[in-house]
Amino acid sequence: MRRRQFLFLASLPAVATACGSGGSGVEEDAANNALTFSNRLRIPPLAESTTGADGVRRFALTMQRGQAELLPGKPTETWGFNGPLLGPTIRARRGETVRIAVTNQLAETSTVHWHGMRLPARMDGGPHQTIAPGKTWTPQWTIDQPTATSWYHPHPHGGTAQHVYRGLAGLFLVDEPDGPRLPDRYGVDDIPLILQDKRLDEDGSLTGDPLKGTFGILGEHILVNGTYDPFLDVSTERVRFRVLNGSNARMYHVEFADRRKFHVIANDAGLLDAPVEVDRVSLTPGERVEIIVGFAPGEQVVLRTAGGTADIDKGTFNLLKIVAAASLTKSAELPSRLADTRIEVPAGARVRRFRLNGHDAINGNEMDVSRIDEVVPAGAREIWEIENHVYAHNFHIHEVAFKVLEVDGAPPPAYATGLKDTVYVPAKSTVRLAVQFGRHTDPTSPYMYHCHILRHEDSGMMGQFVIVEPGTENQVPRTIVGAGSHGTHD
Ligand code: C2O
Ligand code: CU
Ligand code: CU
């Protein structure tokens, strides 16, 4: 009892400061600034696979319950893939055909969505591809997209916030056989950093309701790869970090405590044209960034997130201490060119407008799994304009890659000019996107677009689009018969 009171009081001043100061970026946080960096950063294992005589590479994921030690000595009930928390990192090459058996050992129906993968809608794992308890769903597709840090997570309609919050998420890395030479030794100079904030009770249990309040949960404990209070030993001159914001609502402004410069090399959907030097990068839920950081022998530096003024980014939190070995292995020079990210939208291209309403609708409509909101011809390049008249949101489109053209009339920062699939839409602003759609057509299986603040997604800030043969846009049904049970496999 005394302990609970102490914790409650201890956390009050931080909250009050954060609200009162308007986010100068220096508010100290109660929980994460008490870090001592005493736990080795967990690195999710690489997923095992077998390749059959048919050349198909097979993976298996099982959604299960378990216990993870987040706070020292206090086991937390969690959910994970092939283990108690998070999931293995799937890594595959462009051109490979993958087949992933996803088994649901939870007591409730879920789905697994491949966020960032460009694939047929029936393989996408959105709300229509439900997996009942005890069942297995086995999507298969051929990877045809550039080098990228994608990820996977549940997407059951109305249940995504809860399923992700309990721990279900993993990375899906795509390599390109003849891409530029970059650090790629997983766990050595190619390190994932999955950032997730949690609210933990004094007994270590996950607490709070991710479907309450304006944004759901903004937790006081920030875990990296599911590790509380982490440190990481590095042994090379340069390290590539793949940073995923896997949080329900929190936005991060990632920087080093000594404000050193580093290079951004990739956004959500692929490498940038060229590396961009920065001293801070911002990420809203669902966004990824790849960075290359240089280290000096024997040094130590803290990675942190700086507080901001967007409601979802309050408080400065330390995230991870990086400890460089006394002697470091030489790293290759950073290439000066990385990729070609152009998306040329033809003159007179279709412009679609999406107005974000409150936290539960787009263009005045709450998500309806049986309604097709938009019909897009295969291979189209279009302008999508997202208008936000209220508080912070973001916007994610399944299947596509896009470039951010403008945020309120101004170009995005240079480090965010690559291919993306999720974009921050600040309060009271309009974002313009050049969107490249794929060529997998299916008039009866939709892809989703939505706010990736999971509380908003779950309460209806989501819509559905289909990709169809050009010329058939007006012939396809706008209603999905039997949606809800549609797509269930066994
Ligand atoms: Cu990361 Cu529709 O999802
Ligand atoms: Cu997605
Ligand atoms: Cu939102």
Side-chain angles (χ1 to χ4, degrees), residues 109-112 121-122 124-131 137 155-157 367-372 398 444-448 462-466 479-489:
T109 294
S110 193
T111 84
V112 175
R122 280 182 311 116
D124 190 43
H128 296 274
Q129 286 85 43
T130 51
I131 315 168
W137 172 62
H155 213 302
H157 187 45
M367 163 73 169
D368 177 344
V369 288
S370 65
R371 184 189 66 233
I372 303 291
H398 287 207
T444 58
S445 289
Y447 298 101
M448 307 294 133
M462 176 153 65
Q464 312 196 95
F465 71 100
V466 288
T479 318
I480 303 174
V481 184
S485 57
H486 174 99
T488 305
H489 300 241

Side-chain angles (χ1 to χ4, degrees), residues 351-398:
V351 180
R352 297 184 204 244
R353 296 197 168 81
F354 300 87
R355 194 186 157 104
L356 307 179
N357 308 107
H359 63 70
D360 57 7
I362 298 177
N363 289 339
N365 294 318
E366 251 184 55
M367 163 73 169
D368 177 344
V369 288
S370 65
R371 184 189 66 233
I372 303 291
D373 298 279
E374 304 291 336
V375 178
V376 177
R381 288 172 216 158
E382 302 187 346
I383 302 287
W384 280 32
E385 252 181 41
I386 325 301
E387 237 182 85
N388 175 10
H389 294 273
V390 286
Y391 38 75
H393 292 296
N394 75 3
F395 200 79
H396 167 51
I397 313 176
H398 287 207

Side-chain angles (χ1 to χ4, degrees), residues 113 115 151 153 155 396 398 448 450 452 457:
H113 165 56
H115 180 138
W151 65 301
H153 63 78
H155 213 302
H396 167 51
H398 287 207
M448 307 294 133
H450 56 89
H452 216 290
E457 170 181 346

Side-chain angles (χ1 to χ4, degrees), residues 392-394 451 453 456 461:
H393 292 296
N394 75 3
C451 178
I453 292 175
H456 300 173
M461 188 171 267

